[in-house]
Every structure is written in C-alpha cells, then in structure tokens.
C-alpha cells in the first residue's frame, strides 16, 4: 500500500486498522509540522491535543485482543528514518520546559523519579509509529497493527502518557498562574532526588512562559 493509496476509497472507514492508521498518521504529520517551528506560539497546546488523540488510538490497541502477525519473523524494513532533526528542533522550541521528572513504573515500590525530555519522548514515539506505518503502507496491515500494539505496551504508550502529563502540567501552571520552580540545571544526565519533582524552568513565572509557548494564564 503506497502513500497514494493510504486512504483509498475502497477501504472501509469503519475498519479498525484504517481508523488506527489514520490517527497515527495524523499524529506523525502534526508533530512533524510543529517541529518545523513555524508557529511556536501554539506549540504546547497543539502537542497536548495531538498526544491526547494519539493515546486514544493506543487505548484502543491496548483493549484489543492480542494481534498475531501473519509471519513468524518481521520483514526487513531497511534503515529506520532519522528522527534526530525533529528531536533537536523540538528541544530548541521547548527549551524552558523540555526537561521534566517522571516515575517510570508507578507500580514499582519506592521507584525514584527520573529526568526525561519531552523532545526525546516525542522523537521516540515518532520512531515507533513510523516503523509500523512502513508496514501499513507496504500492505502488511496485520504486521503494522501487531507492531503498534506491541510497541504501545513496551514503549510508546508509557512514553506518550508521561509526555502528556508533562504537557498538561505546563498548561496548568500557566493557566493557574503558578510559578515553575528552579531545578538548578537538572538534565537527563543527572539523577533526581525524591524531593525534586518539578520542571527545569529556571525562576520563570508561568505568565512569562505563556506567550512564547502559546498558552496564557486565566484572566
């Protein structure tokens, strides 16, 4: 299945595979456009919306019965598309709030929070989704669904969920006019203590982040 036939009219729009592929393709296109930096003022709310919609597709995949690929071994997909450019563009755009802290497994007792980056997370999710989309566009629909479901459980589902929480928190800080605390240069190369659970944002007021990142405090 080529790009030109991805949404061919003979496909049933109510088909589960078509709906999942449509949602994933929409996310891929949208985040790629955001990463170009043409509209930085709307970046944060737009990413919040897109990640939320992607997780609806993830929830549907997670609730679906196990999908079994047609072949025992996954066909060779060739070189993976490079997401470094997208990652770097997002990192520059989101620099004030890119680093956040996350508990990797909420069911693991006494798990300490770890630093993460929204830009890294989105690039990782994009990489997983592109892999499945390559199968889908090649006509291997079951293989694509299997990969998207498997990688939802193993990687992109938890990664996107953490990213959504971070994006929602940025918007909440801005809308509620709450300052973001300083993290003294915290980065993903450093550990995070149990008492350090806020964004790397310097001593900036939420209202100062509102305009450049596309969200504003409540009036």
């Amino acid at each position: 299945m080529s790009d030109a036939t991805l949404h061919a009219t003979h496909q049933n729009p109510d088909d589960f595979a078509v709906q999942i592929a449509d949602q994933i393709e929409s996310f891929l296109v949208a985040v790629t456009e955001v990463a170009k930096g043409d509209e930085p003022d709307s970046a944060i709310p737009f990413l919040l919306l897109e990640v939320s919609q992607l997780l609806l597709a993830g929830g549907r995949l997670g609730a679906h019965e196990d999908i079994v690929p047609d072949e025992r071994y996954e066909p060779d997909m060739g070189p993976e598309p490079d997401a470094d450019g997208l990652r770097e563009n997002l990192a520059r755009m989101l620099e004030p709030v890119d680093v956040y802290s996350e508990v990797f497994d909420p069911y693991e007792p006494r798990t300490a929070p770890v630093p993460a980056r929204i830009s890294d997370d989105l690039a990782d999710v994009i990489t997983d989704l592109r892999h499945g989309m390559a199968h889908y566009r090649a006509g291997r629909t079951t293989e694509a669904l299997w990969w998207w479901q498997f990688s939802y459980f193993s990687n992109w589902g938890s990664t996107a969920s953490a990213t959504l929480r971070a994006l929602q928190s940025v918007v909440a800080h801005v809308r509620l006019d709450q300052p973001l605390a300083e993290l003294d240069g915290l980065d993903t190369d450093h550990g995070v203590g149990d008492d350090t659970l806020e964004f790397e944002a310097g001593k900036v007021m939420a209202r100062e982040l509102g305009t450049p990142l596309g969200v504003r405090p409540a009036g």
Side-chain angles (χ1 to χ4, degrees):
M1 182 179 296
S2 67
D3 289 346
T5 59
L6 183 59
H7 302 296
T9 56
H10 68 272
Q11 292 181 277
N12 183 353
D14 294 327
D15 184 76
F16 178 77
V18 173
Q19 292 175 0
I20 295 297
D22 281 348
Q23 288 180 285
I24 288 175
E25 185 193 26
S26 176
F27 178 83
L28 293 173
V29 170
V31 176
T32 300
E33 287 299 312
V34 171
K36 292 178 180 179
D38 294 337
E39 298 184 28
D41 290 352
S42 60
I44 290 290
F46 197 58
L47 289 173
L48 177 66
L49 175 62
E50 291 301 324
V51 176
S52 298
Q53 291 178 335
L54 174 67
L55 284 170
L56 173 59
R60 295 182 67 193
L61 286 164
H64 197 281
E65 62 185 5
D66 287 348
I67 298 167
V68 180
D70 296 328
E71 301 178 19
R72 182 176 180 182
Y73 299 104
E74 183 181 11
D76 183 10
M77 299 300 299
E80 294 283 353
D82 188 358
D84 286 346
L86 180 142
R87 185 192 313 269
E88 293 167 3
N89 289 344
L90 288 171
R92 283 192 295 269
M93 185 186 312
L94 303 174
E95 191 276 332
V97 292
D98 195 21
V99 176
Y100 69 99
S101 57
E102 173 65 11
V103 176
F104 181 70
D105 187 347
Y107 285 98
E108 182 67 26
R110 294 179 296 279
T111 298
V114 296
R117 283 184 176 271
I118 296 174
S119 56
D120 287 344
D121 289 351
L122 290 173
D124 289 347
V125 170
I126 288 278
T127 298
D128 274 348
L129 299 180
R130 282 176 175 171
H131 186 91
M133 186 59 73
H135 284 304
Y136 187 79
R137 287 172 173 157
R140 295 186 291 269
T141 301
T142 304
E143 190 79 34
L145 290 174
W146 168 80
W147 172 258
W148 285 328
Q149 185 186 59
F150 167 76
S151 56
Y152 170 75
F153 288 127
S154 63
N155 184 48
W156 74 260
S158 58
T159 301
S161 296
T163 306
L164 179 66
R165 180 70 183 92
L167 292 167
Q168 188 274 338
S169 186
V170 172
V171 174
H173 274 288
V174 172
R175 294 289 173 82
L176 299 176
D177 199 15
Q178 296 174 343
L180 296 171
E182 184 178 17
L183 288 190
D184 297 324
L186 175 70
D187 203 343
T188 50
D189 293 333
H190 302 84
V192 183
D194 290 340
D195 58 346
T196 307
L197 295 174
E198 304 199 52
F199 294 104
E200 179 193 40
K203 289 184 175 180
V204 287
M205 294 295 291
R207 67 173 67 91
E208 295 174 347
L209 287 175
T211 299
L213 293 179
V215 286
R216 296 173 176 78

